[in-house]
Amino acid sequence: MNVADLRKQFDRLDPNQYVTFKSKAHDQRIAAVLGIALGVTFFTCFITGLISHVMQHPPSWYTWPANPAGFYRVTQGVHVASGILAIPILFAKLWVIFPKLFEWPPIESVAHLLERASLPPLIGGGIFMLLTGVANINQWYFFPFFFTNAHYAVAWITIGALIIHIGAKGAIARNALRKPDAAAVSATVEQDENDSAVTRRGFLWGTFGTGALLTLFTVGQSFTPLGKLALLAPRRPHVGPQGLPVNRTALGAGVIEAARSSEYRLVVEGAVGATREFSLTDLKAMPQHSAELPIACVEGWSQSAHWSGVRVRDLLDAVGARRGASVRVQSIENGLYAQSVLNRYHASDEDTLLALQLNGEPLDIDHGYPCRLIGPNRPGVLQTKWVNKLVVL
Ligand SMILES: Nc1nc2c(c(=O)[nH]1)N[C@H]1C(S)=C(S)[C@@H](COP(=O)(O)O)O[C@H]1N2
Ligand SMILES: [Mo]
């Protein structure tokens, strides 16, 4: 048997003899448009996700600032919104390119091999990221791994595969978008009109329309002017005690008794071993400050509120701590989010408070009574509730 014969045998395996794809949506131009939309949403989601990660798990070489106060609220809102928007676009793209899985021969060159090899991590990673992200904002932990680490690691794999994919497919997409010569366009338009199934344009409208509706009915979870429309979001930003959602309740954290006890004391441990205790009455007797600051949960909801209480830096001054020290803030409870660290910018910021009041009322126990940390430009998870100890580091 010679090479030509072998080739013939090989071509006989071509699956395209058995399968046909009729939809007009299996089209290079549509694939290119969706690819660009997907690239933009994925990169937006990736960058904002990195910001979120750096803030929640600060690396030793970077100290993140306390200003602008609402920065994290915006980046995390955009992170969740761009992830949600990517969902219909990803599934539409997978549908459009599905016939490519049957391409024959399966591998034509080294570049082609590389491009094909990047597909499983790209598709698998993309689906994984969106699925775990949606599960997380719904606090639905059906998976056996720790969300934060897995979501972060797979993000790198996905974005790496995406970069390879763009490198391999960028030129093809550009051509597909440039091409339409008049004859081809009129031919396809005619074809579309003759076809009772979905047209190319209809398919794109359907995809982006779905994305727009999903966004419209969720983005209000952080963009409060649309708060009432956040019907598909797990939280609406106005719903909760004192006009603010609750992440973990006092009952859930098992702190009700300790938080309401007359024995409650805030312990402030100075660096030089100077330690002072404050009762709630002591805290109320100190100078009170107010700040308008958001709670911006990593899960995508956020809401601004009016907080009053004692400046953390005043408490640090009371134990003679040096300005520029960082501080560990501890809660009565000892769950996963029972402590957080204030870096030197956050500890000394005039708006970083141990809040005693929220929106003009004594703090609700679910929001952290008797006192909770609230500071500018912090992920919600680091706004520790039911605080009973500050340790100068
Ligand atoms: N002690 C303690 N503080 C906590 C939490 C917690 O589980 N325990 N959850 C955090 C998270 S994830 C968020 S988003 C905010 C929400 O504050 P809120 O419940 O007052 O709205 O509280 C933070 N403070
Ligand atoms: Mo949160």
Side-chain angles (χ1 to χ4, degrees):
M1 210 190 297
N2 59 25
V3 176
D5 283 340
L6 261 181
R7 181 85 217 198
K8 231 176 251 163
Q9 293 294 336
F10 188 61
D11 281 345
R12 214 168 272 167
L13 297 173
D14 184 348
N16 292 297
Q17 325 168 57
Y18 315 110
V19 278
T20 48
F21 297 95
K22 296 206 194 86
S23 170
K24 291 279 174 291
H26 303 303
D27 170 271
Q28 279 211 334
R29 275 177 76 78
I30 294 190
V33 171
L34 292 175
I36 289 169
L38 210 50
V40 170
T41 48
F42 266 49
F43 273 107
T44 305
C45 209
F46 180 68
I47 299 297
T48 49
L50 281 189
I51 292 171
S52 182
H53 186 84
V54 165
M55 286 196 173
Q56 210 173 318
H57 308 272
S60 55
W61 43 265
Y62 182 67
T63 309
W64 42 286
N67 287 295
F71 180 73
Y72 179 81
R73 182 182 194 188
V74 173
T75 58
Q76 192 58 15
V78 169
H79 179 68
V80 172
S82 57
I84 290 174
L85 178 58
I87 295 169
I89 305 176
L90 177 65
F91 284 109
K93 169 93 175 169
L94 289 177
W95 162 258
V96 169
I97 60 147
F98 183 62
K100 294 241 168 221
L101 293 180
F102 300 88
E103 241 171 20
W104 206 258
I107 292 159
E108 285 169 331
S109 63
V110 175
H112 189 225
L113 171 65
L114 201 63
E115 188 264 318
R116 295 219 110 188
S118 75
L119 285 181
L122 179 56
I123 297 172
I127 292 175
F128 179 90
M129 293 308 286
L130 299 179
L131 186 69
T132 52
V134 167
N136 184 58
I137 66 179
N138 286 284
Q139 299 184 316
W140 177 41
Y141 299 108
F142 63 90
F143 32 75
F145 44 81
F146 183 49
F147 167 78
T148 316
N149 296 347
H151 197 71
Y152 179 67
V154 177
W156 284 101
I157 296 172
T158 312
I159 221 73
L162 181 57
I163 289 169
I164 293 176
H165 187 74
I166 292 173
K169 282 291 178 70
I172 296 172
R174 228 173 297 133
N175 276 338
L177 288 175
R178 203 184 292 135
K179 219 187 315 173
D181 59 279
V185 168
S186 69
T188 56
V189 167
E190 216 165 276
Q191 236 179 354
D192 278 357
E193 280 164 0
N194 292 339
D195 202 322
S196 55
V198 187
T199 64
R200 292 178 175 82
R201 190 168 302 165
F203 186 81
L204 279 182
W205 271 108
T207 304
F208 291 125
T210 306
L213 285 178
L214 267 182
T215 304
L216 185 66
F217 289 122
T218 50
V219 76
Q221 63 183 320
S222 55
F223 182 64
T224 39
L226 293 180
K228 294 239 155 65
L229 280 181
L231 301 170
L232 295 178
R235 322 286 179 89
R236 257 157 283 168
H238 310 277
V239 180
Q242 301 176 318
L244 188 73
V246 167
N247 175 262
R248 187 154 189 234
T249 62
L251 187 66
V255 297
I256 293 184
E257 211 177 307
R260 291 225 172 100
S261 164
S262 59
E263 306 281 280
Y264 167 84
R265 295 290 180 276
L266 171 74
V267 177
V268 184
E269 232 178 71
V272 283
T275 296
R276 279 190 58 179
E277 292 193 0
F278 300 82
S279 69
L280 186 54
T281 317
D282 295 335
L283 292 174
K284 284 180 183 161
M286 290 181 68
Q288 303 291 301
H289 291 277
S290 294
E292 192 76 27
L293 290 172
I295 293 272
C297 182
V298 67
E299 286 150 20
W301 63 269
S302 61
Q303 172 68 299
S304 192
H306 188 77
W307 308 90
S308 319
V310 181
R311 277 181 177 149
V312 166
R313 71 180 193 198
D314 288 351
L315 290 162
L316 300 184
D317 288 346
V319 296
R322 72 190 159 86
R323 278 284 158 89
S326 49
V327 177
R328 190 169 65 233
V329 181
Q330 294 178 203
S331 173
I332 295 173
E333 62 136 351
N334 41 35
L336 202 52
Y337 303 117
Q339 34 172 278
S340 64
V341 171
L342 292 164
N343 69 33
R344 60 178 187 276
Y345 302 132
H346 287 249
S348 58
D349 194 278
E350 60 172 15
D351 284 344
T352 300
L353 309 176
L354 280 189
L356 306 173
Q357 293 213 326
L358 165 55
N359 291 335
E361 295 170 12
L363 202 58
D364 187 280
I365 191 155
D366 283 337
H367 286 305
Y369 175 89
C371 76
R372 71 99 47 86
L373 176 66
I374 184 80
N377 194 19
R378 292 176 74 71
V381 65
L382 302 184
Q383 310 277 30
T384 309
K385 304 198 277 192
W386 314 292
V387 173
N388 70 346
K389 196 168 188 185
L390 301 182
V391 181
V392 178
L393 300 174

